[in-house]
Amino acid sequence: MLDHRYRSQRAPINLSEAIIPGLCAGCGARHIGLCDALSDEDLHFLASVSRPLTVQKGQTFVVEGDAARSFFNINHGVAKLYKDMPDGRRQITGFVSAGDFVGLAADSCYAFSAEAIQEVRMCRFDRTELRNVFGRFPAIEQRLFDFASHELVVAQEQMLLLGRKTAVERLASFLDGWHHRVSHAEDSNSGRSLPMTRADLADYLGLTIETVSRALSSLRKLGIISVAADHGVSVLQSTRLAEIAQAAGSSSAKIQPMA
Amino acid sequence: MLDHRYRSQRAPINLSEAIIPGLCAGCGARHIGLCDALSDEDLHFLASVSRPLTVQKGQTFVVEGDAARSFFNINHGVAKLYKDMPDGRRQITGFVSAGDFVGLAADSCYAFSAEAIQEVRMCRFDRTELRNVFGRFPAIEQRLFDFASHELVVAQEQMLLLGRKTAVERLASFLDGWHHRVSHAEDSNSGRSLPMTRADLADYLGLTIETVSRALSSLRKLGIISVAADHGVSVLQSTRLAEIAQAAGSSSAKIQPMA
DNA sequence: CTTCGAAGTTGATATGAATCAATGCGAACA
DNA sequence: TGTTCGCATTGATTCATATCAACTTCGAAG
């Protein structure tokens, strides 16, 4: 239902549950919206239209402009989606991780490229079979619809960020969002707090790496985050971070050190 | 099908056709994805879950944060969707017109506000009935899905614009897109070429009104557009406009006057 | 252990767009 | 017919971020 909170649907996903042997080896069906037991026939059908796929860090698995034949559901790891301009300018439009779908926002050709920033495991579906999959498993269609709706909300939020927020506000918004994302994910991430580089951050936030670095320093000097020796970022004061992200605090709050 | 070109589905919409008396008076069902004849029962059902609605220019009909009870399909006119920040900064996330859906990108609360910039006629659906509507008319669900997919593509394009393009490139991108939009629409627009103000343009493109004005002047001086006395804009050289929008021309092309 | 290169930080300067300010212009209205 | 006001344009100046540049750190390869 559209009325569902997206988070509440996303939270219960547990990749270790409901693994169905033979279907996308090592990847369950629960995360694509199938929670009930499936018949042998269903399993056979699913296996015929989907394949497991693992891509290594740095590998591009979707190229903007290519014919959109596949459709992916991420099982593990993080990938970046981006668009490039002829002169090299790049905009990362999002980071996808476990449970997310990739390839929805496509015409007959992909409108974006996708590259793994960690090893990524996923299911690849044949797009020409998508209608058939929907017909057999309405739960998948519903899940996809909810995912798309949520993506639109996120995209609008990102437009506000890119169009109207300052560098520090952009960073704070991102860190706040990522913080929630990983804290909700059961598949809690490995050691490093942020899997993406400063360059990725810059391309996501519409900034340069230098400005990202400076904005991180600002937040660090305010005592809101800490930056580890390996450049990993930890949130120390999530409330103040959120206030800066939404420009919600009193105007003077922005320049108060430590408290 | 996802494989369909969105445009090709959109083009054949003709609001003067297939008007079904009793269903959203003055508004057909074709534009929400129903092309075949409907039974009396279908009509009765549709009438029970939808109502016609007309809002005047300047009127806000969706408020960010309000409970998302309704879902709209635009029949005529143009509205802007936007998000505001507490301090008054605003980002317009899109303009919607005939055939477009509003209210999809919503959780239990609307994530955006919507205001008519012309008189807007639309169908309002009850969101709690949406599943029922989908169940009875899969064509509507499919159409909505395709619309959402297309919106995601557009949103990603807009992120690239906001994050990485210059003021003139942003203007060119917008004018190019709008140009295509109105030329494809059968419901070809009234006299003025752009229904929105410079302030709307600025809030859509992440700029100020002064910068929008200067960018328009630049394009005018290049002979690519003309600006009428009533501030209406006409495209004179759509190819060069598109080149600037995509930063695709040779770098020198940007500074060539008239040709 | 040394070298090398990728990634990140910080400083100095340049620049595109924002801000501040003045003016023009047409539509609504007295 | 003039007044007023919203909208738009243009110019002068400021400012946030980009650009250019130097340096550090860390890990991998030799």
Side-chain angles (χ1 to χ4, degrees):
Chain A
M1 291 287 160
L2 281 178
D3 297 43
H4 274 202
R5 299 293 304 276
Y6 179 75
R7 282 289 168 207
S8 66
Q9 298 193 330
R10 204 155 179 265
I13 298 169
N14 187 332
L15 298 175
S16 65
E17 281 181 59
I19 299 296
I20 300 167
L23 166 65
C24 279
C27 123
R30 194 187 182 91
H31 62 98
I32 53 174
L34 301 179
C35 300
D36 302 328
L38 297 172
S39 70
D40 283 352
E41 199 187 345
D42 286 341
L43 288 177
H44 183 266
F45 171 76
L46 277 174
S48 74
V49 297
S50 66
R51 289 284 180 277
L53 175 65
T54 298
V55 299
Q56 298 306 312
K57 178 175 172 175
Q59 201 177 333
T60 300
F61 59 98
V62 172
V63 176
E64 181 175 358
D66 277 6
R69 295 203 185 84
S70 300
F71 182 83
F72 308 88
N73 183 256
I74 308 294
N75 197 313
H76 185 85
V78 179
K80 60 186 178 193
L81 310 185
Y82 59 91
K83 291 174 73 77
D84 282 335
M85 291 177 70
D87 61 3
R89 281 176 280 177
R90 167 173 295 184
Q91 181 65 41
I92 292 180
T93 57
F95 296 103
V96 290
S97 51
D100 291 341
F101 293 94
V102 177
L104 178 66
D107 226 318
S108 52
C109 293
Y110 293 116
F112 56 87
S113 301
E115 178 186 323
I117 63 178
Q118 292 175 328
E119 179 182 289
V120 172
R121 294 198 299 272
M122 52 191 147
C123 277
R124 179 174 59 200
F125 290 84
D126 185 339
R127 273 172 60 96
T128 60
E129 296 293 334
L130 210 52
R131 273 294 149 217
N132 295 333
V133 174
F134 288 172
R136 194 184 277 252
F137 305 106
I140 294 183
E141 177 162 32
Q142 183 173 331
R143 185 175 188 79
L144 240 174
F145 192 86
D146 290 342
F147 177 77
S149 299
H150 182 256
E151 285 300 286
L152 277 173
V153 172
V154 171
Q156 293 178 341
E157 190 65 47
Q158 192 69 0
M159 289 186 221
L160 176 63
L161 180 151
L162 292 168
R164 293 305 186 197
K165 290 186 182 178
T166 66
V168 170
E169 287 165 355
R170 293 180 199 201
L171 234 310
S173 299
F174 170 76
L175 292 174
D176 185 49
W178 191 262
H179 190 63
H180 286 126
R181 191 164 169 172
V182 298
S183 66
H184 279 250
E186 313 211 357
D187 167 20
S188 71
N189 253 311
S190 43
R192 183 151 185 208
S193 48
L194 295 177
M196 66 288 288
T197 66
R198 299 289 189 265
D200 289 335
L201 241 31
D203 286 336
Y204 182 58
L205 300 175
L207 301 168
T208 60
I209 49 178
E210 294 95 331
T211 300
V212 168
S213 188
R214 280 185 248 270
L216 283 168
S217 294
S218 300
L219 292 174
R220 178 170 47 75
K221 285 169 187 162
L222 289 169
I224 293 169
I225 63 171
S226 71
V227 181
D230 69 345
H231 306 123
V233 176
S234 310
V235 175
L236 301 178
Q237 299 182 254
S238 54
T239 307
R240 288 183 69 200
L241 190 68
E243 282 170 4
I244 292 176
Q246 310 306 324
S250 62
S251 54
S252 62
K254 287 186 197 171
I255 47 170
Q256 295 299 337
M258 293 301 291
Chain B
M1 290 286 160
L2 280 178
D3 297 42
H4 274 200
R5 300 292 305 277
Y6 179 75
R7 281 290 167 207
S8 65
Q9 298 193 330
R10 204 155 180 266
I13 298 170
N14 187 331
L15 298 176
S16 65
E17 281 180 58
I19 299 297
I20 299 167
L23 168 66
C24 280
C27 124
R30 193 188 183 92
H31 62 96
I32 52 173
L34 301 179
C35 299
D36 302 328
L38 298 172
S39 68
D40 282 352
E41 197 186 346
D42 286 341
L43 289 177
H44 182 266
F45 171 76
L46 276 174
S48 73
V49 297
S50 67
R51 290 282 181 279
L53 175 65
T54 298
V55 298
Q56 298 305 313
K57 178 177 174 174
Q59 200 177 334
T60 300
F61 59 96
V62 172
V63 176
E64 182 176 357
D66 276 7
R69 295 204 186 81
S70 300
F71 183 83
F72 308 88
N73 183 255
I74 308 293
N75 197 311
H76 185 85
V78 178
K80 61 185 177 194
L81 310 186
Y82 59 92
K83 290 173 75 78
D84 282 335
M85 290 176 70
D87 61 3
R89 282 176 280 177
R90 168 173 293 185
Q91 181 64 41
I92 292 180
T93 58
F95 296 103
V96 290
S97 52
D100 291 341
F101 293 93
V102 177
L104 179 65
D107 227 319
S108 51
C109 294
Y110 293 117
F112 57 86
S113 302
E115 178 185 322
I117 64 177
Q118 292 176 328
E119 179 182 288
V120 172
R121 295 198 298 274
M122 52 191 146
C123 277
R124 179 172 60 199
F125 290 82
D126 186 337
R127 272 171 59 95
T128 60
E129 297 292 334
L130 210 52
R131 272 294 149 216
N132 295 333
V133 175
F134 288 171
R136 193 184 277 250
F137 306 106
I140 293 183
E141 177 162 32
Q142 184 174 329
R143 186 177 188 80
L144 239 174
F145 192 86
D146 290 343
F147 177 77
S149 298
H150 183 255
E151 285 300 286
L152 277 173
V153 173
V154 171
Q156 292 178 341
E157 190 65 46
Q158 191 69 359
M159 288 186 223
L160 177 62
L161 180 151
L162 293 169
R164 293 304 186 198
K165 291 187 181 178
T166 67
V168 170
E169 288 166 354
R170 293 180 200 201
L171 235 309
S173 299
F174 170 77
L175 292 174
D176 184 48
W178 192 262
H179 191 62
H180 286 127
R181 191 165 169 171
V182 299
S183 66
H184 279 249
E186 311 212 354
D187 165 19
S188 71
N189 253 311
S190 43
R192 184 153 185 208
S193 48
L194 295 178
M196 65 289 288
T197 65
R198 298 291 189 263
D200 288 335
L201 240 32
D203 286 336
Y204 182 58
L205 300 174
L207 302 168
T208 59
I209 49 177
E210 294 95 329
T211 300
V212 168
S213 188
R214 280 185 248 269
L216 283 167
S217 295
S218 299
L219 292 174
R220 178 171 46 74
K221 285 169 189 164
L222 289 168
I224 293 169
I225 63 170
S226 72
V227 180
D230 70 344
H231 306 123
V233 176
S234 311
V235 175
L236 302 178
Q237 300 181 254
S238 53
T239 307
R240 288 183 70 201
L241 190 68
E243 281 169 3
I244 293 176
Q246 310 306 323
S250 63
S251 53
S252 62
K254 287 187 198 171
I255 48 170
Q256 296 298 337
M258 291 303 288

